[in-house]
Amino acid sequence: MRDLRHIRKGAGALVATGTLLGLALQTAPASADSGGGAPGSAGAKKAAQESFSNSWTAERMRNATSLDLLDVGSDAVRSTGKAVPRGEELKIPPLGPDSGKKSAAEGGGPWQGGGDVVQTSGRVFFKFGGRDASCSGNAVTSDNASTVMTAGHCVKMEGKWHTDWTFVPGYHDGQAPHGKWAADKTLTTPQWDAGEDLNYDVGAAVVKPRDGKRLTDVVGGQGLSFNSGYNETMYAFGFPAADPYDGEKLTYCSGTAYRDLLLTNDYGLACDMTGGASGGPWFTEFDEASGTGLQASVNSFKYNFQPNAMYGPRFGADAQKLYENAQAG
């Protein structure tokens, strides 16, 4: 267990868990780790070695155990959260149409629709502590056409950068219909890099081209929204892999996103997604017909006394800077 020194003093723990409440990782076949590199201003790690994407076979992807939603116990909670600086609202449109249709709230279930979200969202695979693990991620509109947004703990955790980092957009049932995209570098916010602050649990990756093509040239990219408000309708997507899910299908929740008043200033949403969903996108202005929206957060953590609620960091000025650093890479 680890103290949340950046949020409180005294007892209490924040842990990642294999069923949402503990961490279990699958022992992986032997393979080389990613090369090192000093973190940059946003905590970037350069993957200087050759791509490992071909090593992620269908069997290995299925066997990777989720690096899950972070779990916060009641002893970590205090009455007020930390103040998170808020800048001016900024919206970056997706690479697709938006008709504005929205549906009734859902607590969690398989995404039965189609649209762009089916191919922009995907599973993330990497090595953590020498073993295989997985999260979720999403391709976004970017200048380099190669940027993936995810959670901070899906790129770095317990002071160590994950290695062999690969994004599989459109993943389902062990298949990679749009290919496996190895990271050239991964980044996170300064606050997550330095102290793993839940308010800033945001990560990004710049992936390498495949066959001369860039990521969003192949799968498209969702839009983004920074400094958006609370109490808006949001859709959260991911690939939960802990019981009762198996990580093989895209899953979603939707409803009104409220403000966490316990430990953070994160968004909260009624949702029963489990471990493996970490890093999946939260959208405002989501259109079910086209499967497009504006990403404003990522799946981050659950309180262990609220199994049917999920929380995600609000994309503010620091998340915007992270995105700008990533898309410039």
Side-chain angles (χ1 to χ4, degrees):
M1 287 190 161
R2 297 182 289 122
D3 288 342
L4 286 173
R5 294 183 297 273
H6 53 279
I7 293 181
R8 69 187 192 285
K9 295 180 180 179
L14 168 66
V15 294
T17 74
T19 60
L20 210 55
L21 306 177
L23 174 62
L25 297 170
Q26 180 73 27
T27 300
S31 65
D33 288 349
S34 297
S41 60
K45 175 172 181 174
K46 184 77 173 178
Q49 79 296 345
E50 294 295 321
S51 168
F52 284 91
S53 60
N54 290 336
S55 70
W56 286 102
T57 63
E59 180 180 5
R60 187 181 173 198
M61 289 190 293
R62 286 195 179 101
N63 288 336
T65 303
S66 54
L67 183 71
D68 304 301
L69 293 164
L70 300 174
D71 167 56
V72 177
S74 59
D75 57 353
V77 175
R78 66 183 189 185
S79 60
T80 59
K82 294 180 65 177
V84 176
R86 178 174 183 177
E88 294 183 3
E89 186 171 4
L90 172 65
K91 296 181 180 180
I92 299 171
L95 300 176
D98 182 4
S99 66
K101 177 184 174 184
K102 297 180 174 65
S103 74
E106 297 286 344
W111 175 247
Q112 303 288 1
D116 290 0
V117 71
V118 174
Q119 58 190 31
T120 63
S121 61
R123 288 188 77 180
V124 172
F125 298 94
F126 49 86
K127 292 178 73 67
F128 171 68
R131 293 162 289 175
D132 290 350
S134 71
C135 277
S136 300
N138 180 60
V140 294
T141 302
S142 59
D143 288 345
N144 61 11
S146 302
T147 298
V148 177
M149 299 301 293
T150 187
H153 70 272
C154 294
V155 298
K156 183 182 182 182
M157 188 169 164
E158 298 178 358
K160 296 181 180 179
W161 292 93
H162 305 325
T163 59
D164 198 0
W165 203 99
T166 298
F167 177 58
V168 184
Y171 176 94
H172 65 89
D173 303 301
Q175 299 180 39
H178 308 293
K180 304 166 188 175
W181 300 75
D184 186 47
K185 65 178 178 179
T186 54
L187 311 88
T188 189
T189 60
Q191 296 87 348
W192 184 262
D193 186 24
E196 300 193 354
D197 187 330
L198 284 174
N199 287 293
Y200 302 93
D201 183 18
V202 187
V206 178
V207 296
K208 301 175 183 180
R210 295 185 73 256
D211 301 323
K213 297 180 180 179
R214 299 176 300 177
L215 175 63
T216 61
D217 295 334
V218 176
V219 302
Q222 297 286 353
L224 298 104
S225 179
F226 299 99
N227 300 302
S228 50
Y230 299 95
N231 301 314
E232 297 180 359
T233 299
M234 284 196 178
Y235 284 65
F237 288 84
F239 290 83
D243 189 66
Y245 300 100
D246 61 6
E248 298 302 304
K249 299 287 191 300
L250 180 62
T251 301
Y252 85 109
C253 302
S254 65
T256 300
Y258 55 89
R259 179 177 178 175
D260 177 23
L261 297 177
L262 296 177
L263 182 64
T264 71
N265 286 313
D266 286 8
Y267 294 116
L269 188 67
C271 189
D272 70 356
M273 277 198 269
T274 60
S278 284
W282 292 40
F283 296 111
T284 64
E285 301 183 23
F286 185 77
D287 171 41
E288 290 192 348
S290 64
T292 59
L294 305 180
Q295 185 171 353
S297 183
V298 293
N299 302 326
S300 174
F301 78 96
K302 284 191 168 187
Y303 292 110
N304 59 20
F305 49 88
Q306 288 184 331
N308 294 318
M310 184 171 63
Y311 294 85
R314 185 169 166 272
F315 279 11
D318 291 279
Q320 182 179 340
K321 180 64 174 177
L322 169 67
Y323 163 71
E324 292 170 352
N325 288 341
Q327 73 165 347

